[in-house]
Amino acid sequence: MEKPIIIGFTGPFGSGCTTAAKYLEKEKGFQYYPLSKWIKKICKKRKLFETRRNLQDIGNELREKYATPEKIYDYLVRVFLTELDILSKKSKSPSSVKKLTVKQVEEGNIQLKSASLEIVKNFHFDELLSNSIVIDGIRNHHEVETLRTVFRDKFILIAVDTDAEIRWERIKNKKNLEYFKKEYFQADDMRDSGEEEPPWGQQVTRCVAQADIIINNNFTRKEKLFNKLNRILNLIYGKEKFKPSVEERAMQVAQKIAQKSQCLKRKVGAVIIEEDKNGNMNVLGEGYNESPLGIPLCAQERKCHKENVRKCPNCGIPIEIILDKCINPSCVEKKVIFGREKKESLIRKLDLCRALHAEERAIINALKKDLDKIKGAVLFSTTFPCLICARVIIEVGIKKVIYIDPYPSTEGKKLFGRYRDKITIIKFEGVKSERLYDYLLTRNTKFKNEKTFNF
């Protein structure tokens, strides 16, 4: 019998995280725990409509209000851990244990008021697991970090990703009155991603970046998603041998290169690979985002040069692309329009960044070796290329781009769309984290004595 594990799901709303989590509950015997459980109860107690915006607001409020002294915004996970501890005690002496109430959670009156390492380790939650648990709705990277601290290698984070247009169609087909306009969906999706959110806010993009495994779910049939989940479980439990794909191996290289970056906002790594006649993969060039040689690093100056950007006069959201209107729902309703003189003065954050991007540096390094080989090569990047990099990628003749994280601006995607006959863009799928990748490789030969992961 397999030992209990904790599987967490993260991803943009409409991608299928809840569908995947419910499948593990019904078909694999996992205990289902949504982090939004208490948020919805508080929403009901306050007599609010259960809209995504209200749920986001309450979640942000709880994380900020009950952050630890170390400014760790993991309150929803600490509520889960408190419940887990209560359940374990209840099995021993049911009469002496009381369940959590909505009032307790809303007022921060829970057992784990701090998530300091010493306190967490003393609880030994990893020893309290009687069966596997699936956690749905992880939306802040502090939640991921605390779960990893507590459960160590028993915790595996899976990101379920779906193209925005497909997610919009799914939500629209459900006839959700909350999103009768696409602009409302886009505004909540942008907030959910966390690009302009505070540390205690929605941070889905950062959660996906921390995932151990990424699943693409652009399917209409749920069975395809379920088949992928079955394969993941077989790999974890050692029922299937791990044979890393070319994409998985190359992305491991790109992620290692990204760690060289000292960017204050986002560490990006890229690697260009060509396949020879014998099927061998050769690295042509690699790069990471950093200021060009001779120019001071932003980390040295302790300043990000992209911060100086115009904001919407109504809601204050930074305007990243030259627009004539804000897509925030409240601004859409008020029909906030920028005057022509204001519109012309708006600038893009990207124009202010002075770093050489990872894709640019990888291409430069490849061109130093051989100009001809880069034509028809494949570029692996930890982040979707921006407009500047997209232009260069098309010019040098790269035939395929494989990426992990989306880029907040869609201009690069639009440009690639015009040249879809010349270049293919693919979202990465597979084992992503180095710790899980190395463990699965090691266990191919000796998983019984492996001490790194203890399933």
Side-chain angles (χ1 to χ4, degrees):
M1 183 178 179
E2 294 88 0
K3 292 182 180 180
I5 59 173
I6 302 278
I7 288 182
F9 281 104
T10 189
F13 64 90
S15 61
C17 288
T18 299
T19 301
K22 286 287 187 180
Y23 172 77
L24 295 186
E25 178 193 28
K26 294 178 181 179
E27 302 297 330
K28 303 299 178 181
F30 279 65
Q31 180 183 339
Y32 176 71
Y33 189 96
L35 288 187
S36 62
K37 168 184 173 180
W38 292 102
I39 295 176
K40 291 181 178 180
K41 289 183 178 181
I42 293 172
C43 190
K44 184 177 180 180
K45 178 178 176 289
R46 296 179 181 179
K47 297 181 180 180
L48 299 172
F49 289 109
E50 198 178 288
T51 63
R52 185 164 300 278
R53 173 93 13 180
N54 285 337
L55 296 177
Q56 288 175 336
D57 287 341
I58 294 172
N60 289 3
E61 173 196 326
L62 293 174
R63 279 188 288 261
E64 179 186 16
K65 192 174 182 179
Y66 303 117
T68 69
E70 303 88 355
K71 296 298 180 184
I72 298 175
Y73 304 101
D74 61 350
Y75 181 69
L76 297 175
V77 167
R78 282 184 281 126
V79 172
F80 159 68
L81 295 175
T82 300
E83 285 197 275
L84 183 62
D85 191 46
I86 288 174
L87 289 173
S88 67
K89 289 178 181 177
K90 187 175 181 180
S91 62
K92 298 175 184 177
S93 53
S95 60
S96 63
V97 179
K98 294 181 180 180
K99 292 183 178 180
L100 279 178
T101 64
V102 177
K103 184 178 179 181
Q104 281 180 294
V105 175
E106 188 176 18
E107 295 178 353
N109 187 20
I110 65 169
Q111 187 176 359
L112 266 179
K113 294 187 177 181
S114 175
S116 64
L117 293 180
E118 291 304 317
I119 292 177
V120 169
K121 288 178 180 177
N122 288 338
F123 272 85
H124 299 290
F125 286 110
D126 57 331
E127 298 175 4
L128 300 179
L129 294 178
S130 57
N131 63 304
S132 295
I133 299 175
V134 55
I135 301 175
D136 187 19
I138 297 174
R139 317 201 82 70
N140 187 283
H141 67 98
H142 286 128
E143 295 165 352
V144 177
E145 290 161 7
T146 295
L147 286 167
R148 286 214 169 112
T149 299
V150 175
F151 297 107
R152 298 183 283 277
D153 295 325
K154 284 187 174 70
F155 174 69
I156 293 177
L157 182 63
I158 299 176
V160 183
D161 194 40
T162 305
D163 291 346
E165 286 299 320
I166 296 176
R167 290 189 289 113
W168 161 241
E169 289 298 324
R170 287 176 183 172
I171 291 172
K172 186 175 65 174
N173 291 338
K174 289 182 180 180
K175 298 181 180 179
N176 190 330
L177 295 179
E178 183 182 356
Y179 298 118
F180 63 92
K181 286 186 178 181
K182 191 174 182 180
E183 288 85 355
Y184 295 172
F185 164 80
Q186 290 174 327
D188 280 359
D189 192 37
M190 181 176 69
R191 187 187 190 194
D192 201 49
S193 70
E195 285 301 326
E196 302 297 343
E197 280 281 284
W200 54 83
Q202 316 294 306
Q203 303 282 349
V204 170
T205 298
R206 289 191 67 174
C207 290
V208 171
Q210 291 177 301
D212 296 298
I213 299 171
I214 294 180
I215 294 177
N216 290 336
N217 184 32
N218 289 335
F219 308 114
T220 54
R221 293 179 58 195
K222 296 179 181 178
E223 290 75 14
K224 292 188 176 182
L225 172 63
F226 300 156
N227 289 337
K228 291 184 177 184
L229 292 173
N230 290 333
R231 179 177 179 270
I232 289 171
L233 290 179
N234 287 337
L235 287 174
I236 293 172
Y237 289 128
K239 296 179 180 179
E240 184 177 328
K241 186 176 181 180
F242 177 53
K243 298 177 181 178
S245 63
V246 171
E247 290 78 11
E248 287 171 321
R249 284 184 283 147
M251 202 57 80
Q252 285 295 310
V253 177
Q255 289 182 114
K256 286 182 173 66
I257 295 168
Q259 297 311 307
K260 295 181 180 180
S261 171
Q262 296 186 53
C263 178
L264 298 173
K265 292 294 183 181
R266 186 196 300 262
K267 297 179 186 295
V268 183
V271 59
I272 300 173
I273 289 177
E274 63 114 12
E275 185 175 1
D276 62 23
K277 296 179 180 179
N278 299 320
N280 299 316
M281 307 302 291
N282 302 317
V283 175
L284 298 180
E286 53 188 48
Y288 54 92
N289 57 322
E290 196 67 271
S291 299
L293 293 175
I295 297 179
L297 304 179
C298 296
Q300 294 172 333
E301 297 183 342
R302 298 181 182 180
K303 175 185 178 182
C304 177
H305 292 269
K306 293 197 298 182
E307 291 302 315
N308 186 21
V309 66
R310 287 295 302 272
K311 296 183 178 181
C312 171
N314 180 58
C315 68
I317 291 179
I319 305 300
E320 184 179 324
I321 308 171
I322 298 177
L323 298 171
D324 60 355
K325 62 182 178 180
C326 181
I327 64 171
N328 186 316
S330 63
C331 297
V332 172
E333 291 175 0
K334 294 179 181 179
K335 297 181 180 180
V336 176
I337 305 295
F338 301 110
R340 179 173 296 276
E341 67 284 351
K342 290 184 178 179
K343 178 182 175 183
E344 290 173 350
S345 67
L346 292 175
I347 56 177
R348 292 171 293 187
K349 292 171 73 176
L350 191 60
D351 294 334
L352 299 171
C353 180
R354 61 189 188 183
L356 193 63
H357 290 192
E359 301 93 325
E360 291 177 304
R361 183 171 266 120
I363 289 171
I364 290 172
N365 289 333
L367 292 176
K368 289 177 181 178
K369 296 179 181 179
D370 195 324
L371 175 61
D372 294 328
K373 283 188 177 181
I374 199 172
K375 294 180 180 178
V378 181
L379 184 143
F380 293 84
S381 178
T382 57
T383 299
F384 193 94
C386 66
L387 175 63
I388 295 172
C389 294
R391 292 195 297 242
V392 180
I393 289 168
I394 293 170
E395 174 65 22
V396 298
I398 288 174
K399 69 175 182 180
K400 186 185 295 184
V401 173
I402 299 176
Y403 70 99
I404 296 177
D405 301 329
Y407 194 78
S409 170
T410 59
E411 292 176 305
K413 186 176 182 180
K414 290 178 182 177
L415 183 61
F416 282 134
R418 297 175 187 171
Y419 295 90
R420 58 172 61 97
D421 58 326
K422 295 183 178 180
I423 189 165
T424 304
I425 310 298
I426 299 174
K427 184 79 167 64
F428 173 80
E429 180 176 38
V431 177
K432 173 184 167 294
S433 72
E434 184 180 354
R435 69 183 193 114
L436 183 59
Y437 182 92
D438 291 344
Y439 162 69
L440 293 175
L441 274 183
T442 304
R443 201 179 56 180
N444 281 346
T445 55
K446 54 167 190 175
F447 63 87
K448 291 183 180 180
N449 299 322
E450 178 59 43
K451 296 181 179 179
T452 306
F453 278 59
N454 299 305
F455 291 118

